[in-house]
Amino acid sequence: MIVAIKYPNGQPYHDSTHQPLSKKAADSKPVQHGHRGMSLEQELNRANEFYLQRGIANIHKKPTPIQIVHVDYPKRAAAKITEAYFQQASTTDYNGIYQGHYLDFDAKETNSPTAFPLNNLHQHQVTHLLDTKRLGGISFLIIRFTKYQETYCVPIDAINQFWERRKTERQSIPYQAIVQHGVLIQPSLYPSLPYLEAVDHII
Amino acid sequence: MIVAIKYPNGQPYHDSTHQPLSKKAADSKPVQHGHRGMSLEQELNRANEFYLQRGIANIHKKPTPIQIVHVDYPKRAAAKITEAYFQQASTTDYNGIYQGHYLDFDAKETNSPTAFPLNNLHQHQVTHLLDTKRLGGISFLIIRFTKYQETYCVPIDAINQFWERRKTERQSIPYQAIVQHGVLIQPSLYPSLPYLEAVDHII
C-alpha cells in the first residue's frame, strides 16, 4: 500500500522533483542523470512539461478512466473514493497541439530485442489513431526497445500495415522495420526525450 | 450509493441508451425528446459520439484525474480501487480534432438570467485555453444559460477580456456580452446540440 501524504490544502502531495526546472535552473549546468531509471511515461511527462513551459507545444497524458461507485465525504478532509473500477479507454493516452497540428499518440515499451509484439496494441488504439490522422492529425506510436534504450516515433500508417496482417502473417513488427519506418528520438540532457524533434520528420 | 452492475465480461455496465444510434436508426424518424432532461455534458457527449460515428470530428471528454492510493485484486473479479482522491485537472475537459483543427474547450452552465459568473471558471482553464489558441488551436467555452435553454460558443479572447478585469470591475460576463461575442448553438433533433456548426463561425 502506498501512503498518501495530505498537505494542509487538502491536495494530494506531488513529488516536486517531477516539476519542470525553472528556466534559470535549466540554463545553468544541468545534473547529468540522463534518463537512467526513468520510465518512458516519466520521460514523456517531463518532455511535455518542458514544451509547455517554453510555449512550444501543449500536450498532456489523459487520466486513466475510472468508474466511481462510492465516495465518502468526511468532515474537514478531502472526499475519499472508496469503491471504483478501471475502465477501458476509448482513445490513446496522449494528445495536444504542436505548431498548429493536432498530435495524437500512445507510448509502448518492449523488452524484446527483435520485434515489437502487436499484442501490446489494441484495436481501439489503432482505430483512434487512423481516425485522427484521416481528420488531419499527426498520429503515431512512440515505441521503446528497452534492451537498446532506443525510442522511435512510428507513424500510424506504418504500424497499420503490420496490424492488418497480424492474423495471417506475423504478430509483431520486426525491429528492422521499426528502424526503417520510424524516426529515432535522439536523447538529450533536458528534456531527456525531445520527441518533437522526431515528430518534425513525420509532419 | 450507486450499485455497479458487473456483466460477465468483467466490464462495468454502460447505459446503452447513451450509445450513438446506428446510421439507419438516426435516418429513420427520430423520437422527439429534444434535450429535455439532458445535462450539457450529456448533450456534448452525444454530439461527440455522433461526430465520431460520421467521421466529422474526433473529440472526447477527458476522464477526471484521480490519485489512486490502494487497489484490491480479488480472484476472479475486476481490480477494485478502495482508496483514491480527486485531483485538480491542469487542462480543460474537452479536446480533439475537427477538420484539421485542434479544438479545446470547457463547458459551463449557469442559472443566472443576467450574467455568467466568473467564479465558474479557474485560472488554469483560462491559461490553458489562451495557450492552445496561441499555438494555433480553436479555444472556447460553451456556456449555457439554463433559464433560457440557450447555449453559446464563446471564443477565449472574448472571455479573457472580462477575466482580466474581474478583480477591478465586474466579476461576471453580462448575458448581452455573451450574445454579442458568442455564437448561439441552434438546437436540432440529432444531435440535440450540434455545437460544431457554431464552432464553424469562430474558425
Side-chain angles (χ1 to χ4, degrees), chain A residues 100 135, chain B residues 56-57 59 96-104 133 136-140 153-156 181-183 195-203:
Chain A
L135 287 164
Chain B
I56 294 166
I59 297 160
I97 184 166
Y98 169 53
Q99 291 185 345
H101 296 284
Y102 173 87
L103 254 58
D104 204 302
K133 181 189 157 72
I138 314 299
S139 306
F140 54 93
C153 173
V154 190
I156 185 59
H181 295 290
V183 180
Y195 70 97
L196 291 182
E197 294 172 14
V199 169
D200 285 338
H201 290 89
I202 67 167
I203 287 179

mmCIF file of all heavy atoms in Angstrom, chain A residues 100 135, chain B residues 56-57 59 96-104 133 136-140 153-156 181-183 195-203:
data_model
loop_
_atom_site.group_PDB
_atom_site.id
_atom_site.type_symbol
_atom_site.label_atom_id
_atom_site.label_comp_id
_atom_site.label_asym_id
_atom_site.label_seq_id
_atom_site.Cartn_x
_atom_site.Cartn_y
_atom_site.Cartn_z
ATOM 1 N N GLY A 100 0.373 24.282 -34.441
ATOM 2 C CA GLY A 100 -0.894 24.267 -35.171
ATOM 3 C C GLY A 100 -1.404 22.880 -35.517
ATOM 4 O O GLY A 100 -2.521 22.733 -36.014
ATOM 5 N N LEU A 135 -8.532 12.818 -40.148
ATOM 6 C CA LEU A 135 -9.086 14.161 -39.919
ATOM 7 C C LEU A 135 -8.013 15.250 -39.969
ATOM 8 O O LEU A 135 -8.306 16.419 -39.758
ATOM 9 C CB LEU A 135 -9.808 14.199 -38.555
ATOM 10 C CG LEU A 135 -11.146 13.455 -38.499
ATOM 11 C CD1 LEU A 135 -11.585 13.221 -37.061
ATOM 12 C CD2 LEU A 135 -12.228 14.221 -39.252
ATOM 13 N N ILE B 56 -16.812 13.077 -38.733
ATOM 14 C CA ILE B 56 -16.756 14.538 -38.848
ATOM 15 C C ILE B 56 -15.685 15.112 -37.923
ATOM 16 O O ILE B 56 -14.994 16.064 -38.273
ATOM 17 C CB ILE B 56 -18.150 15.136 -38.524
ATOM 18 C CG1 ILE B 56 -19.159 14.705 -39.596
ATOM 19 C CG2 ILE B 56 -18.092 16.655 -38.381
ATOM 20 C CD1 ILE B 56 -20.606 14.942 -39.230
ATOM 21 N N ALA B 57 -15.568 14.558 -36.747
ATOM 22 C CA ALA B 57 -14.611 15.065 -35.752
ATOM 23 C C ALA B 57 -14.322 13.953 -34.754
ATOM 24 O O ALA B 57 -15.070 12.971 -34.665
ATOM 25 C CB ALA B 57 -15.175 16.282 -35.031
ATOM 26 N N ILE B 59 -13.572 14.117 -30.938
ATOM 27 C CA ILE B 59 -13.473 14.965 -29.749
ATOM 28 C C ILE B 59 -13.986 14.180 -28.541
ATOM 29 O O ILE B 59 -15.023 13.523 -28.619
ATOM 30 C CB ILE B 59 -14.299 16.260 -29.958
ATOM 31 C CG1 ILE B 59 -13.702 17.064 -31.127
ATOM 32 C CG2 ILE B 59 -14.338 17.108 -28.687
ATOM 33 C CD1 ILE B 59 -14.646 18.052 -31.737
ATOM 34 N N GLY B 96 -9.814 17.703 -29.026
ATOM 35 C CA GLY B 96 -9.851 16.774 -30.140
ATOM 36 C C GLY B 96 -9.567 17.471 -31.444
ATOM 37 O O GLY B 96 -9.022 18.586 -31.459
ATOM 38 N N ILE B 97 -9.946 16.801 -32.542
ATOM 39 C CA ILE B 97 -9.645 17.330 -33.868
ATOM 40 C C ILE B 97 -10.916 17.431 -34.706
ATOM 41 O O ILE B 97 -11.773 16.539 -34.672
ATOM 42 C CB ILE B 97 -8.566 16.472 -34.580
ATOM 43 C CG1 ILE B 97 -8.191 17.088 -35.925
ATOM 44 C CG2 ILE B 97 -8.981 15.016 -34.716
ATOM 45 C CD1 ILE B 97 -6.926 16.511 -36.534
ATOM 46 N N TYR B 98 -11.013 18.547 -35.435
ATOM 47 C CA TYR B 98 -12.146 18.811 -36.314
ATOM 48 C C TYR B 98 -11.632 19.508 -37.561
ATOM 49 O O TYR B 98 -11.051 20.586 -37.452
ATOM 50 C CB TYR B 98 -13.179 19.682 -35.585
ATOM 51 C CG TYR B 98 -14.282 20.236 -36.451
ATOM 52 C CD1 TYR B 98 -15.050 19.405 -37.268
ATOM 53 C CD2 TYR B 98 -14.585 21.590 -36.424
ATOM 54 C CE1 TYR B 98 -16.072 19.918 -38.050
ATOM 55 C CE2 TYR B 98 -15.606 22.118 -37.203
ATOM 56 C CZ TYR B 98 -16.348 21.270 -38.016
ATOM 57 O OH TYR B 98 -17.364 21.785 -38.788
ATOM 58 N N GLN B 99 -11.806 18.898 -38.717
ATOM 59 C CA GLN B 99 -11.369 19.488 -39.986
ATOM 60 C C GLN B 99 -9.924 19.998 -39.916
ATOM 61 O O GLN B 99 -9.634 21.116 -40.347
ATOM 62 C CB GLN B 99 -12.298 20.643 -40.381
ATOM 63 C CG GLN B 99 -13.687 20.165 -40.778
ATOM 64 C CD GLN B 99 -14.569 21.302 -41.281
ATOM 65 O OE1 GLN B 99 -14.251 22.464 -41.072
ATOM 66 N NE2 GLN B 99 -15.667 20.959 -41.934
ATOM 67 N N GLY B 100 -9.063 19.174 -39.364
ATOM 68 C CA GLY B 100 -7.649 19.537 -39.278
ATOM 69 C C GLY B 100 -7.312 20.495 -38.156
ATOM 70 O O GLY B 100 -6.129 20.765 -37.907
ATOM 71 N N HIS B 101 -8.317 21.008 -37.461
ATOM 72 C CA HIS B 101 -8.073 21.963 -36.376
ATOM 73 C C HIS B 101 -8.042 21.253 -35.020
ATOM 74 O O HIS B 101 -8.895 20.405 -34.748
ATOM 75 C CB HIS B 101 -9.183 23.017 -36.320
ATOM 76 C CG HIS B 101 -9.254 23.877 -37.530
ATOM 77 N ND1 HIS B 101 -8.349 24.889 -37.768
ATOM 78 C CD2 HIS B 101 -10.099 23.865 -38.591
ATOM 79 C CE1 HIS B 101 -8.660 25.486 -38.911
ATOM 80 N NE2 HIS B 101 -9.711 24.881 -39.439
ATOM 81 N N TYR B 102 -7.109 21.674 -34.184
ATOM 82 C CA TYR B 102 -7.131 21.256 -32.780
ATOM 83 C C TYR B 102 -8.191 22.090 -32.057
ATOM 84 O O TYR B 102 -8.165 23.325 -32.115
ATOM 85 C CB TYR B 102 -5.757 21.490 -32.147
ATOM 86 C CG TYR B 102 -5.750 21.247 -30.656
ATOM 87 C CD1 TYR B 102 -5.517 19.978 -30.145
ATOM 88 C CD2 TYR B 102 -5.980 22.290 -29.758
ATOM 89 C CE1 TYR B 102 -5.520 19.757 -28.780
ATOM 90 C CE2 TYR B 102 -5.989 22.069 -28.388
ATOM 91 C CZ TYR B 102 -5.757 20.797 -27.908
ATOM 92 O OH TYR B 102 -5.766 20.572 -26.559
ATOM 93 N N LEU B 103 -9.114 21.416 -31.398
ATOM 94 C CA LEU B 103 -10.177 22.099 -30.641
ATOM 95 C C LEU B 103 -9.967 21.872 -29.150
ATOM 96 O O LEU B 103 -9.595 20.762 -28.740
ATOM 97 C CB LEU B 103 -11.542 21.517 -31.015
ATOM 98 C CG LEU B 103 -12.458 22.356 -31.904
ATOM 99 C CD1 LEU B 103 -11.747 22.658 -33.208
ATOM 100 C CD2 LEU B 103 -13.758 21.625 -32.174
ATOM 101 N N ASP B 104 -10.241 22.886 -28.352
ATOM 102 C CA ASP B 104 -10.082 22.772 -26.904
ATOM 103 C C ASP B 104 -11.156 23.618 -26.231
ATOM 104 O O ASP B 104 -11.308 24.793 -26.559
ATOM 105 C CB ASP B 104 -8.688 23.261 -26.499
ATOM 106 C CG ASP B 104 -8.249 22.664 -25.178
ATOM 107 O OD1 ASP B 104 -8.973 22.864 -24.180
ATOM 108 O OD2 ASP B 104 -7.197 22.004 -25.151
ATOM 109 N N LYS B 133 -4.741 28.327 -27.934
ATOM 110 C CA LYS B 133 -5.079 29.235 -29.040
ATOM 111 C C LYS B 133 -3.798 29.827 -29.651
ATOM 112 O O LYS B 133 -3.643 29.887 -30.870
ATOM 113 C CB LYS B 133 -5.988 30.369 -28.565
ATOM 114 C CG LYS B 133 -6.354 31.290 -29.722
ATOM 115 C CD LYS B 133 -7.076 32.533 -29.292
ATOM 116 C CE LYS B 133 -6.911 33.617 -30.334
ATOM 117 N NZ LYS B 133 -7.646 33.403 -31.559
ATOM 118 N N GLY B 136 -2.224 27.804 -32.134
ATOM 119 C CA GLY B 136 -2.944 27.563 -33.382
ATOM 120 C C GLY B 136 -4.250 26.795 -33.217
ATOM 121 O O GLY B 136 -4.888 26.429 -34.205
ATOM 122 N N GLY B 137 -4.649 26.539 -31.980
ATOM 123 C CA GLY B 137 -5.890 25.801 -31.745
ATOM 124 C C GLY B 137 -7.118 26.711 -31.748
ATOM 125 O O GLY B 137 -6.997 27.931 -31.754
ATOM 126 N N ILE B 138 -8.291 26.090 -31.775
ATOM 127 C CA ILE B 138 -9.566 26.801 -31.655
ATOM 128 C C ILE B 138 -10.021 26.585 -30.212
ATOM 129 O O ILE B 138 -10.378 25.469 -29.833
ATOM 130 C CB ILE B 138 -10.624 26.227 -32.634
ATOM 131 C CG1 ILE B 138 -10.026 26.043 -34.043
ATOM 132 C CG2 ILE B 138 -11.869 27.079 -32.648
ATOM 133 C CD1 ILE B 138 -9.538 27.316 -34.679
ATOM 134 N N SER B 139 -9.987 27.667 -29.425
ATOM 135 C CA SER B 139 -10.189 27.532 -27.985
ATOM 136 C C SER B 139 -11.374 28.386 -27.548
ATOM 137 O O SER B 139 -11.447 29.560 -27.896
ATOM 138 C CB SER B 139 -8.918 27.975 -27.244
ATOM 139 O OG SER B 139 -7.798 27.242 -27.743
ATOM 140 N N PHE B 140 -12.262 27.792 -26.795
ATOM 141 C CA PHE B 140 -13.510 28.488 -26.463
ATOM 142 C C PHE B 140 -14.165 27.875 -25.238
ATOM 143 O O PHE B 140 -13.709 26.846 -24.717
ATOM 144 C CB PHE B 140 -14.469 28.435 -27.663
ATOM 145 C CG PHE B 140 -14.743 27.054 -28.187
ATOM 146 C CD1 PHE B 140 -15.838 26.328 -27.734
ATOM 147 C CD2 PHE B 140 -13.903 26.460 -29.131
ATOM 148 C CE1 PHE B 140 -16.099 25.051 -28.216
ATOM 149 C CE2 PHE B 140 -14.152 25.168 -29.621
ATOM 150 C CZ PHE B 140 -15.256 24.474 -29.154
ATOM 151 N N CYS B 153 -21.294 29.336 -27.943
ATOM 152 C CA CYS B 153 -19.881 29.037 -28.121
ATOM 153 C C CYS B 153 -19.153 30.389 -28.090
ATOM 154 O O CYS B 153 -19.431 31.259 -28.924
ATOM 155 C CB CYS B 153 -19.732 28.334 -29.468
ATOM 156 S SG CYS B 153 -18.046 28.076 -29.947
ATOM 157 N N VAL B 154 -18.272 30.576 -27.097
ATOM 158 C CA VAL B 154 -17.657 31.893 -26.888
ATOM 159 C C VAL B 154 -16.123 31.774 -26.964
ATOM 160 O O VAL B 154 -15.518 31.074 -26.147
ATOM 161 C CB VAL B 154 -18.051 32.486 -25.512
ATOM 162 C CG1 VAL B 154 -17.613 33.940 -25.417
ATOM 163 C CG2 VAL B 154 -19.542 32.349 -25.258
ATOM 164 N N PRO B 155 -15.499 32.441 -27.953
ATOM 165 C CA PRO B 155 -14.037 32.353 -28.098
ATOM 166 C C PRO B 155 -13.311 32.805 -26.828
ATOM 167 O O PRO B 155 -13.784 33.709 -26.130
ATOM 168 C CB PRO B 155 -13.733 33.316 -29.248
ATOM 169 C CG PRO B 155 -15.023 33.480 -29.987
ATOM 170 C CD PRO B 155 -16.106 33.326 -28.954
ATOM 171 N N ILE B 156 -12.159 32.212 -26.560
ATOM 172 C CA ILE B 156 -11.432 32.507 -25.325
ATOM 173 C C ILE B 156 -11.001 33.971 -25.261
ATOM 174 O O ILE B 156 -10.956 34.558 -24.166
ATOM 175 C CB ILE B 156 -10.224 31.554 -25.123
ATOM 176 C CG1 ILE B 156 -9.548 31.801 -23.766
ATOM 177 C CG2 ILE B 156 -9.207 31.650 -26.250
ATOM 178 C CD1 ILE B 156 -10.449 31.628 -22.557
ATOM 179 N N HIS B 181 -20.647 38.443 -28.304
ATOM 180 C CA HIS B 181 -19.334 37.864 -28.661
ATOM 181 C C HIS B 181 -19.416 36.372 -28.989
ATOM 182 O O HIS B 181 -18.496 35.821 -29.591
ATOM 183 C CB HIS B 181 -18.336 38.063 -27.526
ATOM 184 C CG HIS B 181 -18.004 39.488 -27.260
ATOM 185 N ND1 HIS B 181 -17.253 40.239 -28.133
ATOM 186 C CD2 HIS B 181 -18.329 40.316 -26.228
ATOM 187 C CE1 HIS B 181 -17.116 41.473 -27.645
ATOM 188 N NE2 HIS B 181 -17.762 41.540 -26.489
ATOM 189 N N GLY B 182 -20.478 35.712 -28.539
ATOM 190 C CA GLY B 182 -20.584 34.276 -28.751
ATOM 191 C C GLY B 182 -21.417 33.939 -29.973
ATOM 192 O O GLY B 182 -21.968 34.818 -30.633
ATOM 193 N N VAL B 183 -21.475 32.656 -30.275
ATOM 194 C CA VAL B 183 -22.317 32.167 -31.369
ATOM 195 C C VAL B 183 -23.334 31.214 -30.752
ATOM 196 O O VAL B 183 -22.956 30.247 -30.076
ATOM 197 C CB VAL B 183 -21.473 31.416 -32.425
ATOM 198 C CG1 VAL B 183 -22.365 30.913 -33.563
ATOM 199 C CG2 VAL B 183 -20.366 32.306 -32.964
ATOM 200 N N TYR B 195 -22.878 21.528 -31.828
ATOM 201 C CA TYR B 195 -22.069 22.699 -31.488
ATOM 202 C C TYR B 195 -20.997 23.019 -32.521
ATOM 203 O O TYR B 195 -20.511 24.155 -32.578
ATOM 204 C CB TYR B 195 -21.462 22.552 -30.080
ATOM 205 C CG TYR B 195 -20.388 21.496 -29.962
ATOM 206 C CD1 TYR B 195 -19.033 21.845 -30.047
ATOM 207 C CD2 TYR B 195 -20.701 20.165 -29.748
ATOM 208 C CE1 TYR B 195 -18.039 20.893 -29.928
ATOM 209 C CE2 TYR B 195 -19.714 19.210 -29.619
ATOM 210 C CZ TYR B 195 -18.390 19.577 -29.711
ATOM 211 O OH TYR B 195 -17.410 18.627 -29.593
ATOM 212 N N LEU B 196 -20.624 22.034 -33.347
ATOM 213 C CA LEU B 196 -19.585 22.337 -34.343
ATOM 214 C C LEU B 196 -20.092 23.318 -35.400
ATOM 215 O O LEU B 196 -19.291 24.020 -36.032
ATOM 216 C CB LEU B 196 -19.060 21.049 -34.991
ATOM 217 C CG LEU B 196 -18.234 20.151 -34.057
ATOM 218 C CD1 LEU B 196 -17.724 18.921 -34.799
ATOM 219 C CD2 LEU B 196 -17.048 20.918 -33.450
ATOM 220 N N GLU B 197 -21.420 23.410 -35.580
ATOM 221 C CA GLU B 197 -21.965 24.424 -36.501
ATOM 222 C C GLU B 197 -21.649 25.832 -35.979
ATOM 223 O O GLU B 197 -21.417 26.759 -36.761
ATOM 224 C CB GLU B 197 -23.472 24.238 -36.670
ATOM 225 C CG GLU B 197 -23.821 22.938 -37.378
ATOM 226 C CD GLU B 197 -25.320 22.641 -37.389
ATOM 227 O OE1 GLU B 197 -26.124 23.545 -37.081
ATOM 228 O OE2 GLU B 197 -25.680 21.490 -37.707
ATOM 229 N N ALA B 198 -21.672 25.985 -34.656
ATOM 230 C CA ALA B 198 -21.290 27.274 -34.065
ATOM 231 C C ALA B 198 -19.778 27.473 -34.140
ATOM 232 O O ALA B 198 -19.301 28.577 -34.424
ATOM 233 C CB ALA B 198 -21.778 27.360 -32.619
ATOM 234 N N VAL B 199 -19.038 26.394 -33.926
ATOM 235 C CA VAL B 199 -17.566 26.480 -33.998
ATOM 236 C C VAL B 199 -17.129 26.935 -35.398
ATOM 237 O O VAL B 199 -16.173 27.700 -35.543
ATOM 238 C CB VAL B 199 -16.920 25.121 -33.623
ATOM 239 C CG1 VAL B 199 -15.429 25.102 -33.944
ATOM 240 C CG2 VAL B 199 -17.143 24.824 -32.138
ATOM 241 N N ASP B 200 -17.856 26.492 -36.436
ATOM 242 C CA ASP B 200 -17.538 26.908 -37.812
ATOM 243 C C ASP B 200 -17.439 28.434 -37.933
ATOM 244 O O ASP B 200 -16.678 28.942 -38.750
ATOM 245 C CB ASP B 200 -18.616 26.416 -38.796
ATOM 246 C CG ASP B 200 -18.492 24.920 -39.082
ATOM 247 O OD1 ASP B 200 -17.386 24.373 -38.875
ATOM 248 O OD2 ASP B 200 -19.482 24.317 -39.502
ATOM 249 N N HIS B 201 -18.220 29.140 -37.126
ATOM 250 C CA HIS B 201 -18.237 30.607 -37.213
ATOM 251 C C HIS B 201 -17.061 31.273 -36.506
ATOM 252 O O HIS B 201 -16.853 32.465 -36.651
ATOM 253 C CB HIS B 201 -19.542 31.165 -36.633
ATOM 254 C CG HIS B 201 -20.731 30.866 -37.495
ATOM 255 N ND1 HIS B 201 -21.478 29.717 -37.355
ATOM 256 C CD2 HIS B 201 -21.279 31.556 -38.527
ATOM 257 C CE1 HIS B 201 -22.450 29.714 -38.266
ATOM 258 N NE2 HIS B 201 -22.353 30.810 -38.983
ATOM 259 N N ILE B 202 -16.336 30.514 -35.703
ATOM 260 C CA ILE B 202 -15.205 31.142 -34.999
ATOM 261 C C ILE B 202 -13.860 30.614 -35.499
ATOM 262 O O ILE B 202 -12.805 31.002 -35.001
ATOM 263 C CB ILE B 202 -15.301 31.000 -33.456
ATOM 264 C CG1 ILE B 202 -15.150 29.527 -33.016
ATOM 265 C CG2 ILE B 202 -16.614 31.568 -32.941
ATOM 266 C CD1 ILE B 202 -14.925 29.394 -31.512
ATOM 267 N N ILE B 203 -13.889 29.704 -36.492
ATOM 268 C CA ILE B 203 -12.628 29.197 -37.058
ATOM 269 C C ILE B 203 -12.040 30.245 -38.004
ATOM 270 O O ILE B 203 -12.733 30.778 -38.832
ATOM 271 C CB ILE B 203 -12.845 27.845 -37.784
ATOM 272 C CG1 ILE B 203 -13.062 26.733 -36.757
ATOM 273 C CG2 ILE B 203 -11.637 27.506 -38.651
ATOM 274 C CD1 ILE B 203 -13.315 25.362 -37.358
#
